[in-house]
Amino acid sequence: MEKSNLVRAISRWDLMAITINTIIGAGIFGLPSKVAALIGNYSIFAFVVCALIIAVIVICFAEVASRFKDTGGMYLYAKEAFGSVVGFEVGWLYWVVRVTTFAANCNLFITYLSYFFPAAKVGSTRTAIIVGIVAVLTAVNFLGVKQSVILTNIFTVGKLVPLIIFASVGLFFIQPATFTFPPIAETGSFSAAILLLIYAFVGFEAAAIPAGETKDPQKSVPFALLSALAISAVLFILIQIVCIGTLPELAKSERPLADAANNFLGVFGAAFITVGALISIMGNLNVGFMTGSRMPFAMAENRELPSIFAVTHNKFKTPYISLFATSIAILIYTLSTDFVAALTISTIVRLIVYATTCASLPVFRFRKNSPKAAFVVPFGIVAAILSLGLIAWLLSNVNYQTEGFAVLVVVEIGLFLGLLNEIFRRKAR
């Protein structure tokens, strides 16, 4: 098993499917009720605002990503723009994002699975299910990127069909009287709701990670980013409207889409949506697993991690050492956490990573020797500044005595490792 190059097997449409799979994952199946509990029917506007915030960030990503064609995404952008220490920090943080996101989504998968098998949520049954999911996804991703992409495409169709049916059929059963808008009790509730909803829209950055396995990545990545966000945003807003209009007890629901479907399609509708949720979340888990395992690989290729993480299998052309190491971390964290805790940490860390990419846009524009952009955003500097301001606003609403503290610890660990790595690199030179 010798180190070898990755295979460019991901087409533009495959990449769009990957991006849709990471955006439309677990969040939309759990968050409609949680955000409704915070701000009621104003959650519709929260979805719109959140989509606009993410759109500004995405167009920054589209331009920056169009300058690169190697695996690594945000890690490569930060390393190129701000140096090895910041690059290492971003690579480390994004790997943490993938681990925590997998844990959040896998736990929500079990919550929906308990609709059919109540014992799935407890004890040894829960442990066995988590171990089985991680083992299957490890095997699929080990056998080759094409196999993983085929599975992703199947999951994309499998998740979009029930969601589109839910949104389109549910519109005919909406009760207009449910759409009332009383004053919000707490002024900070809307901001808290936006921060929570960010989780429903994140994941788009996955399009940038496997650039080294993508055909014509400098054009394919911007296309995948923009088209996947547009499709997801429209679908999310329609879903929230249907949930509010068909499920009066939305704020108390643990499985909001299934409960809403049960109200207007009966038991069959609830089962249909639950199956769709399971397919959707499994697709998201697969993509998250693939992109997460590529981060240690990219960092090792750039000599930020031991070279063993850059080794690829001579037959399957997959970074199997990086993949196995990521699967072990995912398994341990998933077994020891729940949906909400992992969700919050993942969202905060993601915003920090997004900020570095947005900040790199003006750096690359003003630096004469920067890689050439294949996609240039009008008013890109304004978009970058606006993105950083929006991210700062979102992070200002974090409770740093709880989840925020855990994030600060993770950031400090990454900074320490990055500085240590830079010291050893300079000594080696």
Side-chain angles (χ1 to χ4, degrees):
M1 298 180 184
E2 302 172 352
K3 180 177 177 180
S4 59
N5 294 326
L6 299 174
V7 176
R8 291 191 183 274
I10 303 174
S11 71
R12 169 180 293 196
W13 298 102
D14 291 333
L15 195 63
M16 186 180 76
I18 287 172
T19 313
I20 289 174
N21 246 314
T22 50
I23 297 176
I24 305 177
I28 192 58
F29 291 95
L31 291 179
S33 57
K34 297 186 185 304
V35 71
L38 281 173
I39 56 174
N41 292 349
Y42 289 98
S43 56
I44 297 172
F45 304 112
F47 268 93
V48 174
V49 171
C50 196
L52 293 174
I53 291 173
I54 293 297
V56 176
I57 297 172
V58 163
I59 61 174
C60 294
F61 263 78
E63 176 171 323
V64 174
S66 75
R67 298 177 183 272
F68 295 85
K69 57 183 179 180
D70 295 321
T71 297
M74 296 77 67
Y75 156 70
L76 282 184
Y77 315 153
K79 178 180 171 63
E80 181 73 20
F82 306 113
S84 295
V85 174
V86 177
F88 187 98
E89 177 78 85
V90 169
W92 157 257
L93 289 177
Y94 190 70
W95 184 78
V96 170
V97 163
R98 292 302 354 156
V99 171
T100 54
T101 300
F102 189 101
N105 292 355
C106 194
N107 278 293
L108 191 63
F109 178 91
I110 291 172
T111 297
Y112 267 86
L113 186 62
S114 68
Y115 177 85
F116 299 112
F117 309 106
K121 292 177 68 175
V122 295
S124 59
T125 305
R126 174 181 177 272
T127 300
I129 293 170
I130 292 172
V131 171
I133 290 172
V134 174
V136 168
L137 295 183
T138 301
V140 170
N141 283 274
F142 173 70
L143 292 175
V145 67
K146 193 60 181 177
Q147 285 73 15
S148 181
V149 167
I150 291 172
L151 186 63
T152 296
N153 291 341
I154 294 171
F155 282 137
T156 302
V157 175
K159 73 170 60 179
L160 286 179
V161 169
L163 288 176
I164 291 172
I165 291 175
F166 173 87
S168 56
V169 174
L171 287 174
F172 293 97
F173 292 88
I174 285 177
Q175 300 296 321
T178 61
F179 289 90
T180 58
F181 297 91
I184 301 176
E186 298 179 16
T187 56
S189 296
F190 195 84
S191 299
I194 295 293
L195 182 63
L196 194 63
L197 276 184
I198 288 290
Y199 188 81
F201 286 89
V202 296
F204 60 85
E205 75 285 345
I209 304 298
E213 295 164 281
T214 302
K215 300 172 184 175
D216 194 12
Q218 291 172 296
K219 294 182 180 178
S220 296
V221 174
F223 169 80
L225 285 167
L226 297 171
S227 56
L229 177 62
I231 292 169
S232 302
V234 172
L235 191 56
F236 286 173
I237 294 167
L238 289 175
I239 287 171
Q240 189 67 10
I241 291 172
V242 170
C243 284
I244 291 173
T246 61
L247 185 62
E249 62 276 17
L250 173 61
K252 300 178 181 179
S253 175
E254 188 177 28
R255 293 179 290 266
L257 271 66
D259 292 341
N262 184 68
N263 281 358
F264 63 83
L265 291 176
V267 176
F268 169 78
F272 178 67
I273 289 299
T274 300
V275 171
L278 294 174
I279 293 172
S280 176
I281 296 169
M282 185 60 80
N284 184 275
L285 292 175
N286 180 59
V287 174
F289 195 97
M290 181 185 74
T291 54
S293 66
R294 266 49 178 185
M295 189 55 70
F297 168 83
M299 295 175 72
E301 273 204 323
N302 286 276
R303 299 180 181 179
E304 305 281 5
L305 287 177
S307 60
I308 190 172
F309 288 103
V311 174
T312 55
H313 195 281
N314 62 347
K315 179 180 179 181
F316 302 123
K317 310 300 182 186
T318 50
Y320 66 101
I321 301 296
S322 176
L323 191 150
F324 291 152
T326 300
S327 70
I328 292 171
I330 279 173
L331 179 60
I332 293 171
Y333 189 71
T334 304
L335 289 170
S336 61
T337 191
D338 60 24
F339 173 64
V340 175
L343 176 153
T344 307
I345 292 172
S346 173
T347 301
I348 297 169
V349 175
R350 258 197 176 99
L351 289 172
I352 296 171
V353 172
Y354 290 172
T356 62
T357 295
C358 295
S360 71
L361 187 152
V363 173
F364 290 135
R365 281 204 177 183
F366 291 121
R367 186 182 294 171
K368 294 182 179 179
N369 61 344
S370 295
K372 185 179 179 181
F375 178 85
V376 178
V377 177
F379 307 105
I381 303 297
V382 175
I385 295 171
L386 181 58
S387 296
L388 292 172
L390 290 169
I391 290 170
W393 169 64
L394 290 169
L395 290 176
S396 70
N397 288 282
V398 172
N399 183 349
Y400 286 96
Q401 293 181 341
T402 54
E403 292 88 357
F405 178 76
V407 172
L408 290 174
V409 171
V410 169
V411 170
E412 288 174 2
I413 291 173
L415 182 60
F416 172 76
L417 293 175
L419 290 170
L420 198 64
N421 176 69
E422 182 65 15
I423 290 170
F424 283 131
R425 282 164 58 93
R426 291 187 177 183
K427 285 186 176 180
R429 287 197 296 265

